[in-house]
Amino acid sequence: MRTIVAALALGMAGSMASAAADGSDPPEPLERFQRSEDRLFRVGYRLATANAVFCDQTVRVSGLLIHDAGSYSDPAAVRRQFGLLGDIGVQAVAPLSPADAAGIRQNDTILAIDGRTIETEWPLTDPRWQRVTALRDAIDDALSRGTLDLSLSRAETPALAASIIGVPACPTRFELVDSESSAAADGERVLVGENFPGLAYDEASFAAAIAHEMAHNILRHPQTFAEIGWKRKLVRLSERDADRLMPWLLQNAGYDPAAAVRFMRTWGPKHGGWIFRKRTHDGWDERVEFIEAELAKIAEAAQSHPAGLADWQTGFVPELEIPHEAN
């Protein structure tokens, strides 16, 4: 599966543009990571919820992302940096989400989930990352059953309560990975390295990169290649389909679908000498042409839809077909 994920990645090396271009002091590494994860989460939430009506399966989401100070090398430093009153903090809150409507803020501290306190029900694990995974699963389970009840605190208000009813979303999580510079899909998640160059792009262009990876998950490309094995020609078609579906997803999330073209024209010339020129991918200029060919179809689909959405379930035709002998 690791090889398949690499094949379905935009991924090439690069570094983020400096956040201190205006002459101000650069953010601390923890703050910089939080800013990037917040951006990824907000964009991912917008794409996943806006396209839920067309996904075959959906999950309930809250628009809340948590992190665990105990999973870092220096938990005390993390708690100090973000003003946490415990280990489990709110890393991001998507605008206009149920969590946002409930008044939850970034850097609130989560004390209990559905009446189960963090300290007693979820002690620190070894390896440390397993606790936050278990907590996210508990949140997902509560949302799937109805209402998520949280007990929280923040510096000026030590006792808070929030009840959240989730909204439908396409079933993809969005995670920032430290010390990486690529973007990839693994069937369940979109994984973006903290040094991914697209993080420095304007939001719509960055959203295009995330939509490309999300398209792989919607079209079940990682699962397909896990079943049939590595087939270079089919991988190339899967990349083409992810490119072509990308602007449809952008349209429904309220982004300009032409941002997919802008992303590729910005990205391709700088990073097109590596994976973009391998036989698993079309050249970046060819990819622009495939994306542009979808824009008129998207405009027509949106014009005929009462909510202005582009129904990719009926209007998008994948090129990838799995031959029977490969099954």
Side-chain angles (χ1 to χ4, degrees):
M1 178 64 80
R2 182 176 299 173
T3 302
I4 292 165
V5 171
L8 300 179
L10 284 164
M12 56 297 304
S15 61
M16 274 180 50
S18 172
D22 59 357
S24 62
D25 292 335
E28 295 291 332
L30 288 172
E31 182 184 352
R32 184 170 64 247
F33 190 90
Q34 185 182 67
R35 288 183 184 180
S36 295
E37 191 157 43
D38 177 77
R39 191 180 201 211
L40 170 61
F41 182 72
R42 287 188 288 105
V43 167
Y45 175 88
R46 186 168 164 178
L47 288 166
T49 55
N51 284 282
V53 66
F54 303 121
C55 281
D56 291 331
Q57 297 179 330
T58 62
V59 295
R60 309 293 289 190
V61 296
S62 65
L64 168 71
L65 179 68
I66 62 171
H67 67 142
D68 183 359
S71 67
Y72 293 79
S73 60
D74 189 348
V78 176
R79 291 192 292 268
R80 286 195 303 270
Q81 176 74 28
F82 300 122
L84 301 179
L85 303 177
D87 276 347
I88 309 305
V90 175
Q91 181 78 325
V93 177
L96 304 179
S97 68
D100 186 29
I104 298 175
R105 301 179 190 171
Q106 187 179 61
N107 296 327
D108 282 351
T109 305
I110 306 291
L111 303 177
I113 298 173
D114 284 349
R116 303 162 64 192
T117 63
I118 302 298
E119 290 184 356
T120 58
E121 296 291 331
W122 289 280
L124 191 63
T125 57
D126 183 18
R128 296 180 178 184
W129 58 264
Q130 287 183 337
R131 176 164 67 169
V132 76
T133 299
L135 287 165
R136 289 175 180 175
D137 288 343
I139 289 173
D140 290 347
D141 180 63
L143 291 168
S144 71
R145 290 184 285 104
T147 302
L148 168 67
D149 292 316
L150 297 175
S151 297
L152 311 99
S153 66
R154 65 176 69 117
E156 68 275 19
T157 312
L160 296 166
S163 293
I164 298 171
I165 297 176
V167 294
C170 299
T172 290
R173 283 182 172 175
F174 303 87
E175 296 184 14
L176 193 70
V177 183
D178 61 356
S179 304
E180 296 290 339
S181 57
S182 63
D186 71 358
E188 297 179 350
R189 300 172 296 170
V190 168
L191 304 164
V192 176
E194 65 173 322
N195 298 317
F196 178 58
L199 280 161
Y201 293 1
D202 67 89
E203 181 167 316
S205 296
F206 174 63
I210 304 310
H212 171 97
E213 300 303 339
M214 181 177 161
H216 280 306
N217 288 345
I218 288 174
L219 298 171
R220 297 184 57 79
H221 291 155
Q223 293 91 334
T224 294
F225 292 115
E227 293 172 3
I228 70 172
W230 178 274
K231 298 183 182 297
R232 191 183 301 273
K233 180 180 179 180
L234 298 184
V235 171
R236 186 179 184 124
L237 290 177
S238 78
E239 291 296 334
R240 189 178 299 172
D241 283 347
D243 284 342
R244 294 172 52 240
L245 184 56
M246 175 176 24
W248 292 79
L249 302 180
L250 291 175
Q251 166 73 28
N252 295 337
Y255 294 110
D256 179 4
V261 174
R262 186 165 69 249
F263 164 74
M264 197 62 68
R265 284 179 171 159
T266 303
W267 181 272
K270 295 180 181 179
H271 307 287
W274 186 54
I275 199 167
F276 278 115
R277 292 300 178 184
K278 287 189 174 182
R279 285 181 292 170
T280 53
H281 291 66
D282 296 305
W284 71 265
D285 46 351
E286 296 172 296
R287 299 177 81 169
V288 166
E289 293 178 3
F290 288 125
I291 295 168
E292 287 180 327
E294 296 297 315
L295 297 182
K297 301 174 189 177
I298 292 169
E300 182 178 356
Q303 189 173 15
S304 62
H305 192 280
L309 300 178
D311 182 355
W312 43 264
Q313 275 283 20
T314 58
F316 175 80
V317 180
E319 292 189 25
L320 176 62
E321 296 183 1
I322 307 303
H324 292 295
E325 61 268 21
N327 293 328

